[in-house]
């Protein structure tokens, strides 16, 4: 019996790793390089070796108290520590350095928790959209970067300092906090996108597609760049932004496929379902 249990545990590990390899085939996000077509990364130059996510280099962002008070993002450190203890990290080679990336189950757990606590279902988004945006930004490899104008882009969600201040995020290099702050930012993005396409005659399916195009545009462009978009002229946007839209879409599909694979594995070996964000009661 013990041998059978050990065999089942090994099977879970092997198939979870297989799910990770499937993810490589989908986006390249767990291979030796991140997805090369990431629209945001195409506009950036990398700023040297990035420290592993554990321990984190502390890069303090002086937040704007007034702006932070209006943001639904909350610095719930005890929740983040509990969540962090459930994450597993895998080595990945990037730009000549060995960094770390969350394993497939940890990616899903982070994305689910962030989506739930931000209330993304209220604006027509889900954890798949969180997963997709992080995929488009960094392929889930926390790192430092910079825009062409020298503006730092920090951590797994590539927050610029000004955006981090606006959402109340003090340490963009902390992957757990950053993914949760990114979900809050996506909620604002979805509201903005919905307003931009409100006058278009769209089917529910077309509306969902356009809403997500706008989310990538909001995340990827400056205010001036965003405001050129009317819901119909996506093909005229910068190529980097169009790649961001495509990479986010691929990431969302990857999230759905990984969740299905992991649930099937757990069901076959008779283990409880995949970890979810429900371990500590919903949104703050």
């Amino acid at each position: 019996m013990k041998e059978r249990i050990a065999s089942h545990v090994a099977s879970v590990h092997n198939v979870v790793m297989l799910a990770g390899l499937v993810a490589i085939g989908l986006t390249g996000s767990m291979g030796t390089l991140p997805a090369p077509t990431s629209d945001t990364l195409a506009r950036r130059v990398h700023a040297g070796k990035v420290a592993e996510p554990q321990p984190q280099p502390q890069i303090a962002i002086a937040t704007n108290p007034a702006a932070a008070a209006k943001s639904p993002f909350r610095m719930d450190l005890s929740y983040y520590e509990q969540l962090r203890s459930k994450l597993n990290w895998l080595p990945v080679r990037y730009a000549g350095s060995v960094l770390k990336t969350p394993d497939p189950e940890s990616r899903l757990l982070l994305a689910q928790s962030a989506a739930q606590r931000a209330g993304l279902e209220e604006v027509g988004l889900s954890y798949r959209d969180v997963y997709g945006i992080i995929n488009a930004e960094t392929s889930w490899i926390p790192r430092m970067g910079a825009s062409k104008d020298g503006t730092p882009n920090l951590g797994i969600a590539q927050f610029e300092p000004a955006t981090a201040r606006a959402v109340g995020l003090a340490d963009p290099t902390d992957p757990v906090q950053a993914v949760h702050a990114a979900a809050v930012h996506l909620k604002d993005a979805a509201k903005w996108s919905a307003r931009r396409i409100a006058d278009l005659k769209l089917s529910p399916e077309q509306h969902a597609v356009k809403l997500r195009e706008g989310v990538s545009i909001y995340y990827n462009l400056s205010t001036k760049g965003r405001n050129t978009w009317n819901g119909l002229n996506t093909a005229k946007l910068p190529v980097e932004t169009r790649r961001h839209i495509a990479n986010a879409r691929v990431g969302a599909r990857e999230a759905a496929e990984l969740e299905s694979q992991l649930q099937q594995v757990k069901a076959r070996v008779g283990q409880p379902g995949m970890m979810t964000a429900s371990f500590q009661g919903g949104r703050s």
Side-chain angles (χ1 to χ4, degrees), residues 4 25 32 39 41 45 78 139 151 172 198-199 203 211 247 251 283:
R4 290 185 61 190
T32 57
D39 59 333
L41 293 178
V45 292
S78 62
S139 296
T151 303
D199 295 332
S203 69
L211 180 74
N247 286 337
R283 266 181 283 159

Side-chain angles (χ1 to χ4, degrees), residues 74-92:
R74 296 290 179 264
M75 292 292 294
D76 190 344
L77 296 181
S78 62
Y79 176 85
Y80 297 146
E81 285 304 314
Q82 185 181 5
L83 180 60
R84 189 176 287 108
S85 71
K86 297 178 180 292
L87 304 180
N88 297 303
W89 297 83
L90 300 173
V92 59

